[in-house]
Coordinates of all heavy atoms in Angstrom, one line a residue:
F1574 N 2.7 14.3 0.3 CA 2.1 13.9 1.4 C 3.2 12.9 2.2 O 3.4 11.8 1.8 CB 0.8 13.0 1.3 CG -0.2 13.9 0.5 CD1 -0.6 13.7 -0.7 CD2 -0.8 15.0 1.2 CE1 -1.6 14.4 -1.3 CE2 -1.7 15.8 0.7 CZ -2.1 15.5 -0.6
D1575 N 3.7 13.5 3.3 CA 4.8 12.8 4.1 C 4.6 13.0 5.5 O 3.5 13.5 5.8 CB 6.2 13.1 3.5 CG 6.5 14.6 3.5 OD1 5.7 15.4 4.3 OD2 7.3 15.1 2.9
D1576 N 5.6 12.8 6.3 CA 5.5 12.9 7.7 C 5.7 14.5 8.2 O 5.5 14.7 9.4 CB 6.5 12.1 8.5 CG 6.2 10.6 8.3 OD1 5.2 10.3 8.0 OD2 7.3 10.0 8.4
G1577 N 6.0 15.4 7.2 CA 6.2 16.8 7.5 C 4.8 17.5 7.5 O 3.9 17.0 7.0
P1578 N 4.9 18.8 7.9 CA 3.8 19.7 7.7 C 3.3 19.7 6.4 O 4.1 19.9 5.4 CB 4.2 20.9 8.4 CG 5.4 20.7 9.3 CD 6.1 19.5 8.5
L1579 N 2.0 19.7 6.2 CA 1.5 19.9 4.8 C 1.8 21.3 4.3 O 2.1 21.5 3.1 CB -0.1 19.6 4.8 CG -0.7 19.7 3.4 CD1 -0.2 18.8 2.4 CD2 -2.2 19.6 3.6
V1580 N 1.4 22.3 5.2 CA 1.6 23.7 4.8 C 3.0 24.2 5.3 O 3.3 24.4 6.4 CB 0.6 24.7 5.3 CG1 0.8 26.1 4.9 CG2 -0.8 24.1 5.1
R1581 N 4.1 24.0 4.3 CA 5.4 24.4 4.6 C 6.0 25.0 3.3 O 5.5 24.7 2.2 CB 6.2 23.2 5.1 CG 6.4 22.1 4.1 CD 7.3 21.0 4.6 NE 7.5 20.0 3.7 CZ 6.9 18.9 3.4 NH1 5.8 18.5 4.2 NH2 7.2 18.0 2.6
P1582 N 7.2 25.7 3.4 CA 7.8 26.3 2.1 C 8.1 25.1 1.2 O 8.6 24.3 1.5 CB 9.0 27.0 2.7 CG 8.6 27.3 4.2 CD 7.7 26.2 4.7
G1583 N 7.7 25.5 -0.1 CA 8.0 24.6 -1.2 C 7.1 23.4 -1.5 O 7.3 22.7 -2.3
N1584 N 6.1 23.2 -0.4 CA 5.2 22.0 -0.5 C 3.9 22.4 -1.0 O 3.1 21.5 -1.3 CB 5.2 21.3 0.8 CG 4.6 20.0 0.7 OD1 5.0 19.1 -0.1 ND2 3.6 19.6 1.5
L1585 N 3.5 23.7 -1.1 CA 2.3 24.0 -1.5 C 2.3 25.3 -2.4 O 3.1 26.2 -2.1 CB 1.4 24.5 -0.2 CG -0.1 24.4 -0.3 CD1 -0.6 23.0 -0.6 CD2 -0.7 24.8 1.1
D1586 N 1.4 25.4 -3.3 CA 1.3 26.5 -4.3 C -0.1 27.1 -4.3 O -1.0 26.3 -3.9 CB 1.8 26.3 -5.6 CG 1.8 27.4 -6.6 OD1 2.7 28.1 -6.5 OD2 0.8 27.6 -7.3
L1587 N -0.3 28.3 -4.5 CA -1.6 28.8 -4.6 C -2.6 28.1 -5.6 O -3.7 28.0 -5.4 CB -1.6 30.4 -5.1 CG -0.9 31.4 -4.2 CD1 -0.7 32.7 -4.9 CD2 -1.7 31.5 -3.0
L1588 N -2.0 27.5 -6.6 CA -2.8 26.8 -7.6 C -3.4 25.5 -6.8 O -4.4 24.9 -7.4 CB -1.9 26.2 -8.7 CG -2.7 25.5 -9.9 CD1 -3.6 26.3 -10.6 CD2 -1.4 25.1 -11.0
C1589 N -2.9 25.0 -5.6 CA -3.5 24.0 -5.1 C -4.7 24.3 -4.3 O -5.5 23.3 -3.8 CB -2.5 23.4 -4.0 SG -0.9 22.9 -4.6
L1590 N -5.1 25.5 -4.2 CA -6.1 25.9 -3.3 C -7.4 26.4 -3.9 O -7.5 27.0 -5.0 CB -5.6 27.0 -2.4 CG -4.2 26.9 -1.7 CD1 -4.0 28.1 -0.9 CD2 -4.3 25.7 -0.9
C1591 N -8.7 26.0 -3.2 CA -9.9 26.7 -3.5 C -10.3 27.1 -2.1 O -10.4 26.4 -1.1 CB -10.9 25.7 -4.0 SG -12.5 26.3 -4.3
L1592 N -10.6 28.5 -2.0 CA -10.8 29.0 -0.7 C -12.2 29.8 -0.6 O -12.6 30.4 -1.6 CB -9.7 30.1 -0.4 CG -8.4 29.6 -0.5 CD1 -7.3 30.5 -0.9 CD2 -7.9 29.1 0.9
S1593 N -12.7 29.9 0.6 CA -13.9 30.6 0.9 C -13.6 32.1 0.8 O -12.6 32.5 1.4 CB -14.6 30.2 2.1 OG -15.6 31.0 2.5
R1594 N -14.4 32.8 0.3 CA -14.4 34.4 0.3 C -14.5 34.8 1.7 O -13.8 35.7 2.1 CB -15.4 35.0 -0.6 CG -15.3 36.5 -0.6 CD -16.4 37.1 -1.5 NE -16.4 38.6 -1.3 CZ -15.5 39.3 -1.9 NH1 -14.7 38.8 -2.9 NH2 -15.6 40.6 -1.8
R1595 N -15.3 34.1 2.6 CA -15.5 34.6 3.9 C -14.2 34.4 4.7 O -13.9 35.3 5.6 CB -16.5 33.6 4.6 CG -17.9 33.8 4.1 CD -19.0 33.1 5.1 NE -18.7 31.6 5.2 CZ -19.2 30.8 4.1 NH1 -20.0 31.1 3.3 NH2 -18.8 29.5 4.3
L1596 N -13.4 33.4 4.3 CA -12.1 33.2 5.0 C -11.1 34.2 4.6 O -10.5 34.9 5.4 CB -11.6 31.8 4.6 CG -10.0 31.4 5.0 CD1 -9.9 31.6 6.5 CD2 -9.6 30.2 4.5
V1597 N -11.0 34.3 3.2 CA -9.8 35.1 2.7 C -10.1 36.6 2.8 O -9.3 37.3 3.2 CB -9.5 34.7 1.2 CG1 -8.6 35.7 0.6 CG2 -9.2 33.4 1.0
V1598 N -11.2 37.0 2.3 CA -11.5 38.5 2.3 C -12.2 39.0 3.6 O -11.7 40.0 4.1 CB -12.5 38.8 1.2 CG1 -12.9 40.3 1.0 CG2 -11.9 38.4 -0.2
D1599 N -13.3 38.3 4.1 CA -13.9 38.8 5.3 C -13.0 38.7 6.5 O -13.0 39.7 7.3 CB -15.2 38.2 5.4 CG -16.2 38.3 4.3 OD1 -16.0 39.4 3.5 OD2 -17.1 37.7 4.0
R1600 N -12.5 37.6 6.9 CA -11.9 37.3 8.1 C -10.3 37.7 8.1 O -9.8 38.1 9.1 CB -12.0 35.9 8.5 CG -13.4 35.5 9.0 CD -13.5 34.5 10.1 NE -12.8 33.3 9.8 CZ -13.3 32.3 9.1 NH1 -14.4 32.4 8.5 NH2 -12.5 31.3 8.8
C1601 N -9.7 37.4 6.9 CA -8.3 37.6 6.9 C -7.8 38.9 6.2 O -6.7 39.2 6.0 CB -7.5 36.5 6.1 SG -7.7 34.9 7.0
G1602 N -8.7 39.7 5.7 CA -8.5 41.0 5.2 C -8.0 41.0 3.8 O -7.3 41.9 3.4
G1603 N -8.1 39.9 3.0 CA -7.6 39.9 1.6 C -6.3 39.4 1.6 O -5.7 38.6 2.4
W1604 N -5.5 39.9 0.6 CA -4.1 39.6 0.3 C -3.2 40.4 1.4 O -2.9 41.6 1.1 CB -3.6 39.7 -1.0 CG -2.3 39.2 -1.4 CD1 -1.1 39.8 -1.3 CD2 -2.0 37.8 -1.8 NE1 0.0 38.9 -1.6 CE2 -0.6 37.7 -2.0 CE3 -2.8 36.7 -2.1 CZ2 0.1 36.6 -2.3 CZ3 -2.1 35.5 -2.5 CH2 -0.7 35.5 -2.6
R1605 N -2.6 39.7 2.3 CA -1.7 40.4 3.2 C -0.2 40.2 3.0 O 0.1 39.6 2.0 CB -2.1 40.0 4.7 CG -3.5 40.1 5.1 CD -3.7 39.5 6.4 NE -3.1 40.1 7.4 CZ -2.9 39.5 8.6 NH1 -3.3 38.3 8.9 NH2 -2.1 40.1 9.5
F1606 N 0.8 40.9 3.8 CA 2.1 40.7 3.7 C 2.6 41.0 2.2 O 3.5 40.4 1.7 CB 2.7 39.2 4.0 CG 1.8 38.6 5.2 CD1 0.8 37.7 5.1 CD2 2.3 39.2 6.5 CE1 0.3 37.2 6.2 CE2 1.6 38.6 7.6 CZ 0.6 37.7 7.5
H1607 N 2.2 42.1 1.6 CA 2.5 42.5 0.2 C 4.0 42.6 0.1 O 4.6 42.2 -0.8 CB 2.0 43.8 -0.2 CG 0.6 44.0 -0.3 ND1 0.0 44.9 -1.0 CD2 -0.5 43.2 0.4 CE1 -1.4 44.8 -0.9 NE2 -1.6 43.8 0.1
G1608 N 4.6 43.3 1.1 CA 6.0 43.6 1.1 C 7.0 42.6 1.4 O 8.2 42.9 1.4
E1609 N 6.6 41.4 1.8 CA 7.4 40.3 2.2 C 7.7 39.5 1.0 O 6.9 39.1 0.2 CB 6.7 39.5 3.3 CG 6.2 40.2 4.5 CD 7.3 41.0 5.2 OE1 8.4 40.3 5.2 OE2 6.9 41.9 6.0
F1610 N 9.0 39.0 0.9 CA 9.4 38.2 -0.2 C 8.7 36.7 -0.2 O 8.5 36.1 -1.2 CB 11.0 37.9 -0.1 CG 11.3 36.9 1.0 CD1 11.6 35.6 0.6 CD2 11.5 37.5 2.3 CE1 11.9 34.7 1.7 CE2 11.9 36.5 3.4 CZ 12.1 35.1 3.0
D1611 N 8.3 36.3 1.1 CA 7.5 35.1 1.2 C 6.0 35.3 1.4 O 5.4 34.6 2.1 CB 8.1 34.2 2.2 CG 8.1 34.9 3.5 OD1 7.9 36.2 3.6 OD2 8.4 34.2 4.6
S1612 N 5.5 36.3 0.7 CA 4.1 36.8 0.9 C 3.1 35.5 0.6 O 2.1 35.4 1.3 CB 3.8 38.0 -0.1 OG 2.4 38.2 0.0
C1613 N 3.4 34.7 -0.5 CA 2.4 33.7 -0.9 C 2.4 32.6 0.4 O 1.3 32.3 0.8 CB 3.0 33.1 -2.0 SG 2.8 34.0 -3.6
Q1614 N 3.7 32.3 0.9 CA 3.8 31.3 1.9 C 3.1 31.7 3.2 O 2.3 31.1 3.9 CB 5.2 30.9 2.1 CG 5.4 29.9 3.3 CD 4.7 28.6 3.0 OE1 4.8 28.1 1.8 NE2 4.1 28.0 3.9
R1615 N 3.3 33.0 3.4 CA 2.7 33.7 4.7 C 1.1 33.7 4.6 O 0.4 33.4 5.6 CB 3.2 35.0 4.9 CG 4.6 35.1 5.4 CD 5.0 36.5 5.8 NE 6.3 36.6 6.4 CZ 6.7 37.4 7.5 NH1 5.7 38.2 7.9 NH2 7.9 37.4 7.9
N1616 N 0.6 34.1 3.5 CA -0.8 34.1 3.3 C -1.4 32.7 3.4 O -2.4 32.6 4.0 CB -1.2 34.7 1.9 CG -1.2 36.2 2.0 OD1 -2.0 36.9 2.6 ND2 -0.2 36.9 1.4
M1617 N -0.7 31.7 2.7 CA -1.4 30.4 2.8 C -1.3 29.9 4.2 O -2.3 29.2 4.6 CB -0.5 29.5 1.8 CG -0.8 29.9 0.4 SD -0.1 28.6 -0.7 CE 1.7 28.9 -0.5
A1618 N -0.3 30.1 4.9 CA -0.2 29.6 6.3 C -1.3 30.3 7.2 O -1.9 29.7 8.1 CB 1.2 30.0 7.0
D1619 N -1.5 31.6 7.1 CA -2.5 32.4 7.7 C -3.9 31.8 7.3 O -4.6 31.6 8.3 CB -2.4 33.8 7.3 CG -3.3 34.7 8.2 OD1 -3.4 34.5 9.3 OD2 -3.9 35.7 7.7
W1620 N -4.2 31.6 6.1 CA -5.5 31.0 5.7 C -5.7 29.7 6.4 O -6.8 29.2 6.8 CB -5.6 30.9 4.2 CG -5.6 32.2 3.6 CD1 -5.9 33.5 4.1 CD2 -5.1 32.5 2.3 NE1 -5.7 34.4 3.1 CE2 -5.2 33.9 2.0 CE3 -4.5 31.6 1.2 CZ2 -4.7 34.5 0.8 CZ3 -4.1 32.3 0.0 CH2 -4.2 33.7 -0.1
H1621 N -4.7 28.8 6.4 CA -4.7 27.5 6.9 C -5.0 27.5 8.4 O -5.8 26.7 8.9 CB -3.5 26.7 6.5 CG -3.6 25.2 6.9 ND1 -2.9 24.7 8.1 CD2 -4.2 24.2 6.5 CE1 -3.0 23.4 8.3 NE2 -3.7 23.0 7.3
H1622 N -4.2 28.4 9.1 CA -4.5 28.5 10.5 C -5.8 29.0 10.9 O -6.4 28.5 11.9 CB -3.4 29.6 11.1 CG -3.5 29.8 12.4 ND1 -3.3 28.9 13.4 CD2 -3.9 30.9 13.2 CE1 -3.4 29.4 14.6 NE2 -3.8 30.6 14.5
R1623 N -6.4 29.9 10.0 CA -7.6 30.6 10.4 C -9.0 29.9 9.8 O -10.0 30.2 10.2 CB -7.6 32.0 10.1 CG -6.5 32.8 10.9 CD -6.5 34.2 10.5 NE -7.6 34.9 11.1 CZ -7.8 36.3 11.0 NH1 -6.9 36.9 10.4 NH2 -9.0 36.8 11.5
A1624 N -8.7 28.9 9.0 CA -9.9 28.2 8.3 C -10.6 27.3 9.4 O -10.0 26.7 10.2 CB -9.4 27.4 7.2
R1625 N -11.9 27.5 9.3 CA -12.7 26.7 10.2 C -12.9 25.3 9.7 O -13.3 24.3 10.5 CB -14.1 27.4 10.4 CG -13.9 28.7 11.0 CD -15.2 29.5 11.0 NE -15.1 30.7 11.7 CZ -15.9 31.8 11.6 NH1 -17.0 31.7 10.9 NH2 -15.7 32.9 12.4
S1626 N -12.6 25.0 8.5 CA -12.7 23.7 7.9 C -11.8 23.6 6.7 O -11.7 24.4 5.8 CB -14.1 23.4 7.5 OG -14.6 24.3 6.5
V1627 N -11.0 22.5 6.8 CA -9.9 22.2 5.7 C -10.2 20.7 5.2 O -10.3 19.8 5.9 CB -8.5 22.4 6.2 CG1 -7.6 22.1 5.1 CG2 -8.2 23.8 6.8
T1628 N -10.3 20.7 3.8 CA -10.4 19.4 3.1 C -9.3 19.3 2.3 O -8.9 20.0 1.4 CB -11.7 19.3 2.4 OG1 -12.8 19.4 3.2 CG2 -11.9 17.9 1.7
V1629 N -8.5 18.1 2.3 CA -7.5 17.6 1.5 C -7.9 16.5 0.5 O -8.4 15.6 1.0 CB -6.1 17.3 2.3 CG1 -5.1 16.9 1.3 CG2 -5.8 18.4 3.2
I1630 N -7.6 16.9 -0.8 CA -8.1 15.8 -1.8 C -6.8 15.5 -2.6 O -5.9 16.2 -2.7 CB -9.1 16.2 -2.7 CG1 -8.7 17.5 -3.5 CG2 -10.5 16.6 -2.0 CD1 -9.7 18.0 -4.5
E1631 N -6.7 14.1 -2.9 CA -5.6 13.8 -3.7 C -5.6 13.9 -5.2 O -4.7 13.6 -6.0 CB -5.3 12.2 -3.4 CG -4.9 12.1 -1.7 CD -4.3 10.7 -1.6 OE1 -3.8 10.0 -2.6 OE2 -4.2 10.4 -0.4
E1632 N -6.8 14.2 -5.6 CA -7.0 14.4 -7.1 C -6.2 15.6 -7.6 O -6.1 16.5 -6.9 CB -8.4 14.6 -7.4 CG -9.3 13.3 -7.3 CD -10.0 13.4 -5.8 OE1 -9.4 14.1 -4.9 OE2 -10.8 12.5 -5.8
V1633 N -5.7 15.6 -8.9 CA -5.0 16.6 -9.4 C -5.9 17.7 -10.0 O -6.9 17.3 -10.8 CB -4.1 16.2 -10.6 CG1 -3.3 17.2 -11.3 CG2 -3.1 15.1 -10.1
V1634 N -5.7 18.9 -9.6 CA -6.7 20.0 -9.8 C -6.0 21.1 -10.9 O -6.6 21.9 -11.4 CB -7.2 20.7 -8.7 CG1 -8.0 19.8 -7.8 CG2 -6.0 21.3 -7.9
G1635 N -4.7 21.1 -11.1 CA -4.0 22.1 -11.9 C -2.8 21.5 -12.4 O -2.2 20.5 -11.8
I1636 N -2.1 22.2 -13.4 CA -0.8 22.0 -14.0 C 0.0 23.1 -13.8 O -0.4 24.3 -14.3 CB -0.8 21.5 -15.4 CG1 -1.8 20.3 -15.6 CG2 0.5 21.2 -16.0 CD1 -1.9 19.8 -16.9
F1637 N 1.0 23.1 -13.1 CA 2.1 24.3 -12.9 C 2.9 24.5 -14.1 O 3.5 23.5 -14.6 CB 2.8 24.0 -11.7 CG 3.4 25.2 -11.1 CD1 2.8 26.1 -10.2 CD2 4.6 25.6 -11.5 CE1 3.4 27.2 -9.7 CE2 5.3 26.7 -11.0 CZ 4.6 27.5 -10.1
D1638 N 3.1 25.7 -14.5 CA 3.9 26.0 -15.6 C 3.5 25.5 -17.0 O 4.3 25.3 -17.9 CB 5.4 25.5 -15.3 CG 6.2 26.6 -14.7 OD1 5.7 27.6 -14.4 OD2 7.5 26.5 -14.5
A1639 N 2.1 25.2 -17.1 CA 1.8 24.6 -18.3 C 2.0 25.5 -19.5 O 2.1 24.9 -20.9 CB 0.2 24.3 -18.3
G1640 N 1.9 26.8 -19.4 CA 2.2 27.7 -20.5 C 3.5 28.3 -20.6 O 3.8 29.2 -21.4
R1641 N 4.5 27.6 -20.0 CA 5.9 28.1 -20.0 C 6.5 28.4 -21.2 O 7.3 29.4 -21.6 CB 6.8 27.1 -19.2 CG 8.2 27.5 -19.0 CD 9.0 26.6 -18.2 NE 9.2 25.2 -18.9 CZ 9.7 24.1 -18.2 NH1 9.9 24.3 -17.0 NH2 9.7 23.0 -19.0
S1642 N 6.2 27.5 -22.3 CA 6.9 27.6 -23.7 C 6.0 28.2 -24.8 O 6.3 28.2 -25.9 CB 7.3 26.1 -24.2 OG 6.2 25.4 -24.3
L1643 N 4.7 28.8 -24.3 CA 3.9 29.2 -25.4 C 4.2 30.7 -25.9 O 3.8 31.2 -26.8 CB 2.5 29.3 -24.8 CG 2.0 27.9 -24.4 CD1 0.6 28.0 -23.9 CD2 2.1 26.9 -25.6
D1644 N 5.1 31.4 -25.2 CA 5.4 32.8 -25.4 C 6.9 33.0 -25.3 O 7.5 32.6 -24.3 CB 4.8 33.9 -24.5 CG 3.3 33.9 -24.7 OD1 2.6 34.5 -25.5 OD2 2.5 33.1 -23.8
R1645 N 7.5 33.4 -26.4 CA 9.0 33.6 -26.4 C 9.3 34.7 -25.4 O 8.7 35.7 -25.3 CB 9.5 34.0 -27.9 CG 9.2 32.8 -28.9 CD 9.9 33.2 -30.1 NE 11.3 33.3 -30.1 CZ 12.1 33.7 -31.1 NH1 11.6 33.9 -32.3 NH2 13.4 33.8 -30.9
A1646 N 10.5 34.5 -24.9 CA 11.1 35.6 -24.1 C 10.2 36.0 -22.8 O 10.2 37.3 -22.5 CB 11.6 36.8 -24.8
A1647 N 9.4 35.1 -22.3 CA 8.5 35.5 -21.3 C 8.5 34.5 -20.0 O 7.5 34.4 -19.3 CB 7.1 35.4 -21.8
L1648 N 9.8 34.0 -19.9 CA 9.9 33.2 -18.8 C 10.1 34.0 -17.4 O 10.7 35.2 -17.4 CB 11.3 32.3 -18.8 CG 11.3 31.4 -19.9 CD1 12.6 30.8 -20.0 CD2 10.1 30.3 -19.9

Side-chain angles (χ1 to χ4, degrees):
F1574 298 118
D1575 54 20
D1576 295 334
L1579 182 63
V1580 182
R1581 65 179 189 263
N1584 196 48
L1585 203 62
D1586 184 77
L1587 292 171
L1588 184 60
C1589 300
L1590 307 179
C1591 177
L1592 302 150
S1593 166
R1594 180 181 177 81
R1595 292 191 302 270
L1596 168 65
V1597 175
V1598 178
D1599 297 342
R1600 292 210 308 277
C1601 293
W1604 188 269
R1605 302 173 62 199
F1606 314 110
H1607 303 201
E1609 307 295 337
F1610 75 95
D1611 56 350
S1612 174
C1613 290
Q1614 180 61 37
R1615 287 187 174 217
N1616 277 290
M1617 290 190 292
D1619 189 37
W1620 299 331
H1621 184 256
H1622 175 71
R1623 300 181 65 176
R1625 293 172 181 166
S1626 54
V1627 178
T1628 296
V1629 180
I1630 60 177
E1631 294 194 18
E1632 292 91 345
V1633 179
V1634 295
I1636 302 176
F1637 195 89
D1638 269 6
R1641 182 177 65 188
S1642 60
L1643 297 182
D1644 295 277
R1645 297 185 61 184
L1648 297 178

